[in-house]
């Protein structure tokens, strides 16, 4: 059988039905417009609804991490401000300033994201509830690495070399706890903002621990 590619013959082989071309009618453009309009409305609806489902929920690891790390950072900022105002050692003044500014800015990020997710900055959940097997991470109600109220009171009263050594010692422990928390959320979350911030925390605080170790060694040999 020979198949012609002549458009004229193809048209002849498929005559109009009731005077209209196959698959076409007077309502064709109308139905097309309605279909497009419906698709647009559905697209808008999905665009409005899906982001709500994609936002982390109140009990999500992301929300728990941001809330807990905000509290964790707040203490680091307080310790840094104490050292910055009381120390006379240039390296301690510089380090404490960097920590205070960096972690205060990160608190701003974390609180802004919680607001964007329509979540409260606080929760009725226990600290570290977002982390699996975190029971041993809480000591006397404090998250990993956090200083006790007694240690904070003592730090406020110190001056000179004892202040420098205590600040560095407490901040080193504080950073280790913060790194542990950040590494855990990296395992649990696929939120790009949260994982970016957590990765930044790990890198910065590991670098600061190296500097703290160097400063402690220098103070101990002075």
């Amino acid at each position: 059988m020979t198949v012609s590619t002549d458009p004229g013959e193809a048209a002849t082989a498929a005559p109009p039905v009731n005077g209209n071309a196959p698959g076409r009618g007077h309502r064709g453009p109308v139905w097309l417009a309605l279909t497009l309009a419906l698709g647009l409305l559905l697209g808008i609806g999905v665009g409005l609804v899906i982001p709500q489902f994609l936002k982390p929920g109140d009990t999500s690891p992301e929300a728990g991490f941001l809330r807990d790390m905000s509290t964790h950072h707040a203490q680091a900022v307080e310790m840094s401000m104490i050292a910055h105002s009381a120390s006379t050692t240039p390296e301690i003044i510089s380090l404490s300033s960097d920590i205070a500014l960096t972690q205060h800015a990160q608190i701003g990020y974390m609180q802004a994201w919680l607001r964007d997710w329509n979540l409260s900055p606080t929760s009725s959940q226990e600290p570290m509830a977002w982390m699996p097997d975190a029971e041993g991470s809480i000591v006397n109600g404090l998250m990993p690495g956090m200083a006790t109220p007694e240690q904070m009171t003592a730090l406020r009263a110190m001056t000179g070399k004892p202040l420098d050594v205590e600040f560095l010692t407490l901040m080193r422990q504080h950073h280790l706890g913060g790194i542990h928390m950040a590494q855990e959320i990296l395992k649990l979350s696929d939120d790009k903002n949260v994982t970016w911030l957590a990765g930044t925390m790990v890198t910065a605080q590991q670098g600061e621990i190296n500097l703290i170790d160097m400063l402690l060694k220098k103070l101990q040999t002075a």
Side-chain angles (χ1 to χ4, degrees), residues 13 21 31 46 53 72 87 96 107 116 145 150 155-157 167 186 188 191 215:
W31 285 109
V46 170
F53 287 117
H72 203 272
S87 179
S96 61
I107 290 172
D116 288 345
E150 293 76 17
L155 182 66
R156 294 186 192 98
F167 167 70
L186 286 171
L188 298 172
D191 183 281
L215 292 174

Side-chain angles (χ1 to χ4, degrees), residues 1 12 15 39 59 70-72 74 90 96 99 104 108 121 128 132 164 167 180 198 211-212:
M1 176 180 178
T12 303
T59 59
S70 292
T71 300
H72 203 272
S96 61
I99 293 173
H104 186 268
M128 306 298 291
D164 292 345
F167 167 70
H180 172 61
L211 177 57
I212 286 171

Side-chain angles (χ1 to χ4, degrees), residues 34-210:
L34 288 174
T35 301
L36 292 174
L38 179 60
L40 179 61
L41 289 173
L42 287 173
I44 293 173
V46 170
L48 292 173
V49 172
I50 284 182
Q52 300 300 321
F53 287 117
L54 295 179
K55 290 180 180 179
D58 191 55
T59 59
S60 66
E62 291 85 358
F65 170 76
L66 295 186
R67 288 163 174 155
D68 284 352
M69 190 57 81
S70 292
T71 300
H72 203 272
H73 270 23
Q75 188 184 70
V77 172
E78 183 181 0
M79 287 195 295
S80 297
M81 294 305 295
I82 293 169
H84 188 268
S85 62
S87 179
T88 58
T89 305
E91 295 93 339
I92 300 295
I93 295 172
S94 177
L95 175 62
S96 61
S97 175
D98 288 344
I99 293 173
L101 291 172
T102 298
Q103 298 209 10
H104 186 268
Q106 290 175 346
I107 290 172
Y109 280 121
M110 294 187 285
Q111 295 298 301
W113 292 337
L114 287 169
R115 288 194 299 271
D116 288 345
W117 301 342
N118 297 317
L119 299 178
S120 169
T122 60
S123 172
S124 59
Q125 285 190 302
E126 293 295 322
M128 306 298 291
W130 56 272
M131 185 192 297
D133 304 318
E135 294 81 3
S137 300
I138 301 296
V139 179
N140 297 323
L142 296 172
M143 287 179 282
M146 291 188 70
T148 66
E150 293 76 17
Q151 288 173 321
M152 293 296 294
T153 298
L155 182 66
R156 294 186 192 98
M158 291 179 177
T159 57
K161 182 177 177 178
L163 165 72
D164 292 345
V165 172
E166 184 69 0
F167 167 70
L168 293 174
T169 302
L170 291 177
M171 189 57 73
R172 187 182 194 281
Q173 188 64 26
H174 204 275
H175 275 5
L176 287 173
I179 289 171
H180 172 61
M181 294 167 65
Q183 288 174 333
E184 286 301 311
I185 196 62
L186 286 171
K187 299 175 187 176
L188 298 172
S189 178
D190 58 4
D191 183 281
K192 292 183 179 179
N193 285 329
V194 174
T195 55
W196 164 76
L197 185 61
T200 299
M201 291 175 183
V202 171
T203 300
Q205 293 184 30
Q206 284 177 337
E208 287 170 351
I209 286 175
N210 293 335

